Every structure is written in C-alpha cells, then in structure tokens.
Amino acid sequence: MHKPLDRRTLNRTLLDRQLLLNRSAMSAEDAVGHLIGLQSQHPTSPYPGLWTRLAGFSFDEPGALLTGRALVRIVLMRGTVHLVTAADALRLRPWLQPMLDRGLRASQWAAGTAGVDRDEMIAYGREALAEQPLGPGELRTVLGARWPDADPASLVNALRSWAPLVQVPPRGLWGASAQPRYALLDDWLGAPLAEPDPAALVRRYLAAFGPATPADMQKWSGLTGLKKVFGALDCRMYTTEDGRELYDLPDAAPADPGIEVSARYVADFDNLLLSHADRSRILDDAHRSKVMTVNGIVRGTILVDGFVGGTWRFERAKDEAAVVVTPFAPLSAADRDALGREGLRLLAASDPAAERPDVRFEKAG
C-alpha cells in the first residue's frame, strides 16, 4: 500500500520544486534549466515568472542570456514556444518531434502542405536560413516560390514543426517589440541535436513537478506513451486521496503541508498551472475558466495560501505602470498587504522609469 498524499501536501511540494516556497539563490540560467523551461508564448512571460522565483533577479538577465545564446526560444512542449537553456533545446526538440508531427497533421495547416515532401522542405528551409535569420513573411515568399500550389502560411508552419527553428533576439527581450525571425537551432548554437533520453527527462520532470503521474507528464509535454518509461524507473510511490498512483524520485520527499506561504504573483502562461492532468493541487476547477480562456490565454495569477486565488495583469500608460489584481474572494488584510508590497517590488524591477507605480485591487469575483 502506497502512502497517501493529501492536496495540501501536494501543493506545498509543487511550490517547493517550482521555487515558489521561498525565492531561490539560483541564477536565471540555472532556474530555467531546473524548471525545464518557461512557456514563452507571450515573449516576456518568463520575466515575471523568474522574478517571483529568484532572489536578486534582474529583468536584464534573460535578455543577456538570449543574446549570448545560453538561452533560446523555440517551439517545444505542447507545441508552444518555450524559453529553455541551449542544452535543453538540443535535448528536448528531438524527443518532442513525434508530438509536433502529430500536432501538424491535426492542424488547420495540414491541407495547405498536401503533396509537399517533408525532407525536401527541411533541406530547402535549411538552405534558405543558412545566410541569415528570416521572418515569417520572408519565409512565405521563399517557400511559396518553391511550392506555388501550396498555401504559403501552411508551409511556414510545417517548417516550424518539421525543423528546429529558434526565434532569435531581439524577439523575447524585455521592452522589445520585435517580430519573430527564425534560425536553425543547431546552426544558431553551433552544436548538434542530442539523442533523446526519456528516462532522464522523466526524472527531471519529477524534480520540477512531482510527485506526478504519467498522465501529468503527458499534459506537460504533449507526448504519449510515457507510462512504460515511468514503470521502468526506480521511484518512490504514493497515492492521491482518490487512489491514483503518484511517482516520485527515490531521494525526494514531500514538503511539510503546514508550511505557511505568503501571497505571491505567478506569471501568465506559467507552467505551474499547465503541467498536470489534475490541477487540483494548485487550481480549483471552479476557477479554471477565470484563468484559462477559450482562446488559449492563461492569465497571470496570485497565490493565496499557496493556491490560485485570483488573477493579475500589468496596466501601463505614459510614465505610469500598475499591477491590477482581481481576487476570486475578498482578501484578508495580511494577503492584501503582501500583494501590495510584492506588486510594488515587481514594478520597481519591471518598470523602473514609471513615475507613479501602483497596485490596484478590483472587486472580488
């Protein structure tokens, strides 16, 4: 009989592994590696995501790592753009290729590439990108000239799925508004793609998100067939309160469920909310639609006693910046004060030139 873990223990354990119990002294690069990347569908989401996790974080740090090619932005888990370390980009991209292929076949772009030879397109795309990065419009022109009977937009999306394209800076730099420009991952980094090691990646997933089920890791990655990999590992086993088996690293331990957690901000599109089939350890199902919209937006959230207790957003006008909080229920005075202090600290890091930084609280609902 496996030891049962209650919801609060799973919550504190997840926060601990996500560097959200206490701010970590890790560098930004090390934290991105530990987290196996941060979703970067919105190019600047990783910045507040790292700020809330790291002590002494500077909003200039990820940009310097991007321009120095220690970090890259590339389509990975769930077919979404992630900010990852260079080494993880080379490891993850080949492992996730079956998921990207499946996603393309099921997408609106599949019909527009009918009759296009995959290997030929990859070779042609490599040749086109060999001299310099190209934007989507330039790629539509180049690929459309070679396959005039195909849909140019579909060709670009097929190339993004079939070939490892990175979005190069200044895209993804804090304060920049640059449009995407693509380069080949292995050319950009001057290193070959790595042979996938599923067992090592399962262990790293558990280190960042565990204890968890194969279905949880499938939700995080988009890949299927992970149960066999989990079953072959030496794992510590638990059960949820409703009887599901949870896997964990043999030398890991659950966090103390009694740990007090101060109110915190979590970035939009944060993998904290996107990496388990059962999100109840962090997000109540009753609030899910307030956080995750039908058109794929995942709002920034506040943590109240460690659980999602509302949403937040930046609002900016000339020389002004604010953090606007919408709680799901009225906040205690202590939580409101903690969010006020944290919000002003966030604005001091994100918008240092703002003349009137402010934290505003909207009516609960």
Side-chain angles (χ1 to χ4, degrees):
M1 184 71 177
H2 304 316
K3 179 181 178 180
L5 297 179
D6 62 23
R7 180 176 182 241
R8 193 173 184 87
T9 300
L10 288 172
N11 171 266
R12 286 343 192 221
T13 305
L14 176 61
L15 295 179
D16 184 33
R17 298 188 190 183
Q18 284 286 297
L19 314 179
L20 287 166
L21 276 185
N22 297 291
R23 281 187 165 89
S24 170
M26 284 185 187
S27 68
E29 183 176 0
D30 287 345
V32 171
H34 169 74
L35 298 167
I36 328 176
L38 292 93
Q39 185 161 317
S40 188
Q41 202 73 7
H42 186 287
T44 55
S45 298
Y47 288 77
L50 289 168
W51 173 87
T52 202
R53 289 173 164 93
L54 303 179
F57 172 76
S58 167
F59 272 62
D60 294 330
E61 193 173 357
L65 293 167
L66 275 166
T67 55
R69 308 191 189 191
L71 299 179
V72 295
R73 298 180 64 254
I74 183 172
V75 172
L76 290 171
M77 286 74 74
R78 304 181 300 277
T80 58
V81 179
H82 273 69
L83 176 73
V84 294
T85 65
D88 273 347
L90 296 168
R91 293 185 189 109
L92 291 166
R93 189 55 172 74
W95 180 61
L96 293 164
Q97 190 60 56
M99 177 271 299
L100 296 170
D101 290 343
R102 186 177 69 249
L104 178 64
R105 290 194 298 269
S107 75
Q108 60 179 312
W109 312 111
T113 58
V116 175
D117 182 83
R118 173 189 177 130
D119 291 340
E120 185 179 353
M121 177 189 274
I122 293 172
Y124 195 81
R126 282 191 170 276
E127 183 179 348
L129 292 166
E131 292 187 7
Q132 63 178 355
L134 297 176
E138 294 165 314
L139 281 172
R140 285 194 295 270
T141 298
V142 169
L143 298 176
R146 173 60 186 82
W147 288 279
D149 295 331
D151 172 55
S154 297
L155 293 172
V156 174
N157 279 277
L159 185 62
R160 289 175 70 241
S161 296
W162 289 340
L165 303 188
V166 295
Q167 294 187 14
V168 304
R171 181 74 166 177
L173 303 187
W174 185 256
S177 57
Q179 295 302 304
R181 295 183 68 79
Y182 297 104
L184 271 298
L185 172 64
D186 41 338
D187 288 348
W188 183 251
L189 297 180
L193 276 68
E195 187 70 22
D197 185 348
L201 290 167
V202 169
R203 287 191 289 268
R204 290 186 60 198
Y205 170 80
L206 291 174
F209 297 98
T213 67
D216 290 328
M217 189 172 180
Q218 178 176 324
K219 177 64 71 174
W220 169 78
S221 65
L223 281 175
T224 58
L226 293 170
K227 189 172 183 178
K228 184 177 180 180
V229 185
F230 273 74
L233 295 178
D234 176 22
C235 284
R236 182 179 292 190
M237 301 299 297
Y238 301 96
T239 60
T240 61
E241 292 176 298
D242 60 2
R244 288 176 294 109
E245 284 192 328
L246 296 170
Y247 295 74
D248 204 7
L249 299 172
D251 58 349
D256 178 355
I259 295 174
E260 293 188 6
V261 180
S262 181
R264 300 285 289 277
Y265 291 91
V266 175
D268 55 338
F269 294 101
D270 200 289
N271 281 336
L272 178 72
L273 308 184
L274 299 173
S275 301
H276 295 89
D278 176 10
R279 298 182 175 94
S280 62
R281 69 184 71 190
I282 192 70
L283 174 63
D284 192 303
D285 280 345
H287 299 314
R288 182 174 173 178
S289 63
K290 299 176 183 178
V291 175
M292 302 173 181
T293 70
V294 293
N295 59 347
I297 300 299
V298 182
R299 295 187 171 103
T301 55
I302 58 169
L303 299 182
V304 179
D305 189 29
F307 295 90
V308 173
T311 61
W312 73 275
R313 65 186 185 275
F314 284 118
E315 280 193 0
R316 296 182 174 95
K318 184 179 180 182
D319 300 326
E320 297 181 4
V323 166
V324 182
V325 178
T326 307
F328 297 149
L331 296 167
S332 69
D335 288 332
R336 188 182 177 101
D337 287 347
L339 289 167
R341 291 192 301 270
E342 280 284 280
L344 290 175
R345 287 187 62 248
L346 173 55
L347 290 169
S350 65
D351 295 76
E355 294 180 358
R356 288 178 291 277
D358 190 22
V359 180
R360 300 202 300 270
F361 293 86
E362 296 184 332
K363 183 179 178 181

PDB file of all heavy atoms in Angstrom, residues 3-16 21 253-261 305-307:
ATOM      1  N   LYS A   3       1.876   5.207   0.368  1.00  0.00           N
ATOM      2  CA  LYS A   3       1.500   6.281   1.294  1.00  0.00           C
ATOM      3  C   LYS A   3       0.612   7.297   0.584  1.00  0.00           C
ATOM      4  O   LYS A   3       0.944   7.765  -0.509  1.00  0.00           O
ATOM      5  CB  LYS A   3       2.753   6.958   1.829  1.00  0.00           C
ATOM      6  CG  LYS A   3       2.464   8.110   2.792  1.00  0.00           C
ATOM      7  CD  LYS A   3       3.751   8.765   3.270  1.00  0.00           C
ATOM      8  CE  LYS A   3       3.458   9.947   4.184  1.00  0.00           C
ATOM      9  NZ  LYS A   3       4.700  10.607   4.659  1.00  0.00           N
ATOM     10  N   PRO A   4      -0.516   7.692   1.166  1.00  0.00           N
ATOM     11  CA  PRO A   4      -1.366   8.706   0.525  1.00  0.00           C
ATOM     12  C   PRO A   4      -0.839  10.121   0.795  1.00  0.00           C
ATOM     13  O   PRO A   4      -0.269  10.396   1.852  1.00  0.00           O
ATOM     14  CB  PRO A   4      -2.727   8.496   1.194  1.00  0.00           C
ATOM     15  CG  PRO A   4      -2.395   7.927   2.536  1.00  0.00           C
ATOM     16  CD  PRO A   4      -1.139   7.106   2.372  1.00  0.00           C
ATOM     17  N   LEU A   5      -1.016  10.994  -0.176  1.00  0.00           N
ATOM     18  CA  LEU A   5      -0.651  12.400  -0.038  1.00  0.00           C
ATOM     19  C   LEU A   5      -1.902  13.243  -0.235  1.00  0.00           C
ATOM     20  O   LEU A   5      -2.612  13.089  -1.233  1.00  0.00           O
ATOM     21  CB  LEU A   5       0.407  12.800  -1.077  1.00  0.00           C
ATOM     22  CG  LEU A   5       1.772  12.101  -0.991  1.00  0.00           C
ATOM     23  CD1 LEU A   5       2.676  12.599  -2.108  1.00  0.00           C
ATOM     24  CD2 LEU A   5       2.425  12.330   0.362  1.00  0.00           C
ATOM     25  N   ASP A   6      -2.163  14.130   0.694  1.00  0.00           N
ATOM     26  CA  ASP A   6      -3.346  14.975   0.552  1.00  0.00           C
ATOM     27  C   ASP A   6      -3.036  16.186  -0.330  1.00  0.00           C
ATOM     28  O   ASP A   6      -1.894  16.446  -0.698  1.00  0.00           O
ATOM     29  CB  ASP A   6      -3.902  15.398   1.915  1.00  0.00           C
ATOM     30  CG  ASP A   6      -2.926  16.232   2.740  1.00  0.00           C
ATOM     31  OD1 ASP A   6      -2.020  16.865   2.156  1.00  0.00           O
ATOM     32  OD2 ASP A   6      -3.074  16.246   3.973  1.00  0.00           O
ATOM     33  N   ARG A   7      -4.094  16.921  -0.664  1.00  0.00           N
ATOM     34  CA  ARG A   7      -3.979  18.035  -1.607  1.00  0.00           C
ATOM     35  C   ARG A   7      -3.004  19.088  -1.099  1.00  0.00           C
ATOM     36  O   ARG A   7      -2.216  19.641  -1.869  1.00  0.00           O
ATOM     37  CB  ARG A   7      -5.367  18.634  -1.829  1.00  0.00           C
ATOM     38  CG  ARG A   7      -5.409  19.824  -2.792  1.00  0.00           C
ATOM     39  CD  ARG A   7      -6.842  20.260  -3.012  1.00  0.00           C
ATOM     40  NE  ARG A   7      -6.939  21.369  -3.952  1.00  0.00           N
ATOM     41  CZ  ARG A   7      -7.435  22.567  -3.640  1.00  0.00           C
ATOM     42  NH1 ARG A   7      -7.869  22.819  -2.417  1.00  0.00           N
ATOM     43  NH2 ARG A   7      -7.512  23.530  -4.564  1.00  0.00           N
ATOM     44  N   ARG A   8      -3.038  19.372   0.198  1.00  0.00           N
ATOM     45  CA  ARG A   8      -2.176  20.418   0.732  1.00  0.00           C
ATOM     46  C   ARG A   8      -0.702  20.003   0.683  1.00  0.00           C
ATOM     47  O   ARG A   8       0.167  20.828   0.405  1.00  0.00           O
ATOM     48  CB  ARG A   8      -2.600  20.746   2.164  1.00  0.00           C
ATOM     49  CG  ARG A   8      -1.977  22.018   2.699  1.00  0.00           C
ATOM     50  CD  ARG A   8      -2.568  22.381   4.050  1.00  0.00           C
ATOM     51  NE  ARG A   8      -2.038  23.651   4.514  1.00  0.00           N
ATOM     52  CZ  ARG A   8      -2.540  24.840   4.214  1.00  0.00           C
ATOM     53  NH1 ARG A   8      -3.593  24.917   3.413  1.00  0.00           N
ATOM     54  NH2 ARG A   8      -1.999  25.949   4.680  1.00  0.00           N
ATOM     55  N   THR A   9      -0.420  18.735   0.927  1.00  0.00           N
ATOM     56  CA  THR A   9       0.963  18.258   0.822  1.00  0.00           C
ATOM     57  C   THR A   9       1.438  18.359  -0.621  1.00  0.00           C
ATOM     58  O   THR A   9       2.573  18.785  -0.881  1.00  0.00           O
ATOM     59  CB  THR A   9       1.062  16.805   1.318  1.00  0.00           C
ATOM     60  OG1 THR A   9       0.650  16.751   2.693  1.00  0.00           O
ATOM     61  CG2 THR A   9       2.485  16.286   1.199  1.00  0.00           C
ATOM     62  N   LEU A  10       0.597  17.969  -1.568  1.00  0.00           N
ATOM     63  CA  LEU A  10       0.972  18.081  -2.982  1.00  0.00           C
ATOM     64  C   LEU A  10       1.182  19.540  -3.367  1.00  0.00           C
ATOM     65  O   LEU A  10       2.082  19.868  -4.150  1.00  0.00           O
ATOM     66  CB  LEU A  10      -0.104  17.441  -3.863  1.00  0.00           C
ATOM     67  CG  LEU A  10      -0.163  15.912  -3.823  1.00  0.00           C
ATOM     68  CD1 LEU A  10      -1.398  15.416  -4.583  1.00  0.00           C
ATOM     69  CD2 LEU A  10       1.102  15.309  -4.429  1.00  0.00           C
ATOM     70  N   ASN A  11       0.380  20.427  -2.825  1.00  0.00           N
ATOM     71  CA  ASN A  11       0.518  21.850  -3.115  1.00  0.00           C
ATOM     72  C   ASN A  11       1.869  22.379  -2.639  1.00  0.00           C
ATOM     73  O   ASN A  11       2.605  23.018  -3.395  1.00  0.00           O
ATOM     74  CB  ASN A  11      -0.616  22.623  -2.447  1.00  0.00           C
ATOM     75  CG  ASN A  11      -0.437  24.126  -2.520  1.00  0.00           C
ATOM     76  OD1 ASN A  11       0.092  24.742  -1.598  1.00  0.00           O
ATOM     77  ND2 ASN A  11      -0.865  24.724  -3.616  1.00  0.00           N
ATOM     78  N   ARG A  12       2.199  22.111  -1.361  1.00  0.00           N
ATOM     79  CA  ARG A  12       3.462  22.618  -0.830  1.00  0.00           C
ATOM     80  C   ARG A  12       4.658  21.987  -1.534  1.00  0.00           C
ATOM     81  O   ARG A  12       5.683  22.650  -1.743  1.00  0.00           O
ATOM     82  CB  ARG A  12       3.550  22.334   0.674  1.00  0.00           C
ATOM     83  CG  ARG A  12       2.694  23.182   1.616  1.00  0.00           C
ATOM     84  CD  ARG A  12       2.171  24.453   1.033  1.00  0.00           C
ATOM     85  NE  ARG A  12       1.599  25.332   2.058  1.00  0.00           N
ATOM     86  CZ  ARG A  12       0.488  26.016   1.895  1.00  0.00           C
ATOM     87  NH1 ARG A  12      -0.202  25.910   0.762  1.00  0.00           N
ATOM     88  NH2 ARG A  12       0.044  26.838   2.835  1.00  0.00           N
ATOM     89  N   THR A  13       4.542  20.717  -1.910  1.00  0.00           N
ATOM     90  CA  THR A  13       5.639  20.055  -2.608  1.00  0.00           C
ATOM     91  C   THR A  13       5.851  20.670  -3.984  1.00  0.00           C
ATOM     92  O   THR A  13       6.988  20.927  -4.405  1.00  0.00           O
ATOM     93  CB  THR A  13       5.370  18.548  -2.730  1.00  0.00           C
ATOM     94  OG1 THR A  13       5.134  18.007  -1.426  1.00  0.00           O
ATOM     95  CG2 THR A  13       6.546  17.824  -3.367  1.00  0.00           C
ATOM     96  N   LEU A  14       4.752  20.927  -4.697  1.00  0.00           N
ATOM     97  CA  LEU A  14       4.867  21.563  -6.014  1.00  0.00           C
ATOM     98  C   LEU A  14       5.480  22.952  -5.891  1.00  0.00           C
ATOM     99  O   LEU A  14       6.378  23.315  -6.663  1.00  0.00           O
ATOM    100  CB  LEU A  14       3.491  21.656  -6.676  1.00  0.00           C
ATOM    101  CG  LEU A  14       3.443  22.380  -8.030  1.00  0.00           C
ATOM    102  CD1 LEU A  14       4.306  21.677  -9.069  1.00  0.00           C
ATOM    103  CD2 LEU A  14       2.004  22.516  -8.517  1.00  0.00           C
ATOM    104  N   LEU A  15       5.036  23.741  -4.940  1.00  0.00           N
ATOM    105  CA  LEU A  15       5.595  25.084  -4.761  1.00  0.00           C
ATOM    106  C   LEU A  15       7.083  25.015  -4.442  1.00  0.00           C
ATOM    107  O   LEU A  15       7.881  25.828  -4.943  1.00  0.00           O
ATOM    108  CB  LEU A  15       4.857  25.824  -3.651  1.00  0.00           C
ATOM    109  CG  LEU A  15       3.379  26.142  -3.897  1.00  0.00           C
ATOM    110  CD1 LEU A  15       2.799  26.862  -2.699  1.00  0.00           C
ATOM    111  CD2 LEU A  15       3.187  26.958  -5.167  1.00  0.00           C
ATOM    112  N   ASP A  16       7.476  24.040  -3.624  1.00  0.00           N
ATOM    113  CA  ASP A  16       8.883  23.884  -3.290  1.00  0.00           C
ATOM    114  C   ASP A  16       9.709  23.592  -4.537  1.00  0.00           C
ATOM    115  O   ASP A  16      10.744  24.224  -4.779  1.00  0.00           O
ATOM    116  CB  ASP A  16       9.023  22.759  -2.261  1.00  0.00           C
ATOM    117  CG  ASP A  16      10.451  22.576  -1.781  1.00  0.00           C
ATOM    118  OD1 ASP A  16      11.193  23.578  -1.704  1.00  0.00           O
ATOM    119  OD2 ASP A  16      10.836  21.430  -1.487  1.00  0.00           O
ATOM    120  N   LEU A  21       8.154  28.379  -2.778  1.00  0.00           N
ATOM    121  CA  LEU A  21       8.016  28.480  -1.329  1.00  0.00           C
ATOM    122  C   LEU A  21       8.846  29.644  -0.810  1.00  0.00           C
ATOM    123  O   LEU A  21       8.387  30.458  -0.012  1.00  0.00           O
ATOM    124  CB  LEU A  21       8.460  27.181  -0.646  1.00  0.00           C
ATOM    125  CG  LEU A  21       7.441  26.054  -0.541  1.00  0.00           C
ATOM    126  CD1 LEU A  21       8.020  24.909   0.280  1.00  0.00           C
ATOM    127  CD2 LEU A  21       6.119  26.521   0.067  1.00  0.00           C
ATOM    128  N   ALA A 253      11.440  14.021  -1.126  1.00  0.00           N
ATOM    129  CA  ALA A 253      10.459  13.881  -0.054  1.00  0.00           C
ATOM    130  C   ALA A 253       9.394  14.960  -0.195  1.00  0.00           C
ATOM    131  O   ALA A 253       9.694  16.073  -0.643  1.00  0.00           O
ATOM    132  CB  ALA A 253      11.140  13.985   1.311  1.00  0.00           C
ATOM    133  N   PRO A 254       8.174  14.661   0.185  1.00  0.00           N
ATOM    134  CA  PRO A 254       7.127  15.684   0.145  1.00  0.00           C
ATOM    135  C   PRO A 254       7.425  16.809   1.128  1.00  0.00           C
ATOM    136  O   PRO A 254       8.098  16.616   2.136  1.00  0.00           O
ATOM    137  CB  PRO A 254       5.859  14.921   0.551  1.00  0.00           C
ATOM    138  CG  PRO A 254       6.185  13.478   0.371  1.00  0.00           C
ATOM    139  CD  PRO A 254       7.649  13.348   0.615  1.00  0.00           C
ATOM    140  N   ALA A 255       6.919  17.971   0.817  1.00  0.00           N
ATOM    141  CA  ALA A 255       7.082  19.125   1.705  1.00  0.00           C
ATOM    142  C   ALA A 255       6.109  19.030   2.877  1.00  0.00           C
ATOM    143  O   ALA A 255       5.105  18.312   2.834  1.00  0.00           O
ATOM    144  CB  ALA A 255       6.859  20.412   0.920  1.00  0.00           C
ATOM    145  N   ASP A 256       6.408  19.776   3.907  1.00  0.00           N
ATOM    146  CA  ASP A 256       5.545  19.856   5.080  1.00  0.00           C
ATOM    147  C   ASP A 256       4.262  20.602   4.703  1.00  0.00           C
ATOM    148  O   ASP A 256       4.326  21.762   4.283  1.00  0.00           O
ATOM    149  CB  ASP A 256       6.292  20.602   6.194  1.00  0.00           C
ATOM    150  CG  ASP A 256       5.468  20.777   7.461  1.00  0.00           C
ATOM    151  OD1 ASP A 256       4.278  20.412   7.475  1.00  0.00           O
ATOM    152  OD2 ASP A 256       6.026  21.309   8.439  1.00  0.00           O
ATOM    153  N   PRO A 257       3.098  19.967   4.844  1.00  0.00           N
ATOM    154  CA  PRO A 257       1.853  20.654   4.453  1.00  0.00           C
ATOM    155  C   PRO A 257       1.527  21.846   5.340  1.00  0.00           C
ATOM    156  O   PRO A 257       0.709  22.688   4.967  1.00  0.00           O
ATOM    157  CB  PRO A 257       0.792  19.556   4.605  1.00  0.00           C
ATOM    158  CG  PRO A 257       1.376  18.594   5.592  1.00  0.00           C
ATOM    159  CD  PRO A 257       2.850  18.610   5.344  1.00  0.00           C
ATOM    160  N   GLY A 258       2.184  21.946   6.493  1.00  0.00           N
ATOM    161  CA  GLY A 258       1.899  23.048   7.390  1.00  0.00           C
ATOM    162  C   GLY A 258       2.691  24.306   7.122  1.00  0.00           C
ATOM    163  O   GLY A 258       2.493  25.323   7.803  1.00  0.00           O
ATOM    164  N   ILE A 259       3.585  24.283   6.130  1.00  0.00           N
ATOM    165  CA  ILE A 259       4.379  25.469   5.819  1.00  0.00           C
ATOM    166  C   ILE A 259       3.466  26.623   5.405  1.00  0.00           C
ATOM    167  O   ILE A 259       2.591  26.466   4.556  1.00  0.00           O
ATOM    168  CB  ILE A 259       5.381  25.173   4.681  1.00  0.00           C
ATOM    169  CG1 ILE A 259       6.413  24.143   5.145  1.00  0.00           C
ATOM    170  CG2 ILE A 259       6.086  26.447   4.227  1.00  0.00           C
ATOM    171  CD1 ILE A 259       7.346  23.689   4.041  1.00  0.00           C
ATOM    172  N   GLU A 260       3.679  27.782   6.003  1.00  0.00           N
ATOM    173  CA  GLU A 260       2.906  28.956   5.610  1.00  0.00           C
ATOM    174  C   GLU A 260       3.517  29.573   4.358  1.00  0.00           C
ATOM    175  O   GLU A 260       4.734  29.634   4.207  1.00  0.00           O
ATOM    176  CB  GLU A 260       2.887  29.982   6.734  1.00  0.00           C
ATOM    177  CG  GLU A 260       2.112  29.505   7.965  1.00  0.00           C
ATOM    178  CD  GLU A 260       1.943  30.600   8.997  1.00  0.00           C
ATOM    179  OE1 GLU A 260       2.331  31.761   8.707  1.00  0.00           O
ATOM    180  OE2 GLU A 260       1.422  30.297  10.088  1.00  0.00           O
ATOM    181  N   VAL A 261       2.664  30.008   3.458  1.00  0.00           N
ATOM    182  CA  VAL A 261       3.101  30.568   2.180  1.00  0.00           C
ATOM    183  C   VAL A 261       2.524  31.964   2.033  1.00  0.00           C
ATOM    184  O   VAL A 261       1.303  32.147   2.091  1.00  0.00           O
ATOM    185  CB  VAL A 261       2.652  29.685   0.995  1.00  0.00           C
ATOM    186  CG1 VAL A 261       3.120  30.287  -0.320  1.00  0.00           C
ATOM    187  CG2 VAL A 261       3.176  28.264   1.154  1.00  0.00           C
ATOM    188  N   ASP A 305      -2.406  31.527   0.194  1.00  0.00           N
ATOM    189  CA  ASP A 305      -2.176  30.288   0.940  1.00  0.00           C
ATOM    190  C   ASP A 305      -1.712  29.173  -0.004  1.00  0.00           C
ATOM    191  O   ASP A 305      -2.045  28.006   0.171  1.00  0.00           O
ATOM    192  CB  ASP A 305      -3.431  29.859   1.697  1.00  0.00           C
ATOM    193  CG  ASP A 305      -3.167  28.694   2.654  1.00  0.00           C
ATOM    194  OD1 ASP A 305      -2.019  28.584   3.151  1.00  0.00           O
ATOM    195  OD2 ASP A 305      -4.087  27.887   2.870  1.00  0.00           O
ATOM    196  N   GLY A 306      -0.952  29.546  -1.026  1.00  0.00           N
ATOM    197  CA  GLY A 306      -0.355  28.562  -1.918  1.00  0.00           C
ATOM    198  C   GLY A 306      -1.215  28.125  -3.078  1.00  0.00           C
ATOM    199  O   GLY A 306      -0.724  27.446  -3.991  1.00  0.00           O
ATOM    200  N   PHE A 307      -2.480  28.485  -3.104  1.00  0.00           N
ATOM    201  CA  PHE A 307      -3.388  28.094  -4.175  1.00  0.00           C
ATOM    202  C   PHE A 307      -3.791  29.326  -5.000  1.00  0.00           C
ATOM    203  O   PHE A 307      -3.758  30.450  -4.504  1.00  0.00           O
ATOM    204  CB  PHE A 307      -4.647  27.431  -3.598  1.00  0.00           C
ATOM    205  CG  PHE A 307      -4.375  26.131  -2.896  1.00  0.00           C
ATOM    206  CD1 PHE A 307      -4.079  26.121  -1.540  1.00  0.00           C
ATOM    207  CD2 PHE A 307      -4.412  24.928  -3.582  1.00  0.00           C
ATOM    208  CE1 PHE A 307      -3.820  24.926  -0.874  1.00  0.00           C
ATOM    209  CE2 PHE A 307      -4.154  23.723  -2.931  1.00  0.00           C
ATOM    210  CZ  PHE A 307      -3.852  23.726  -1.576  1.00  0.00           C
TER     211      PHE A 307
END
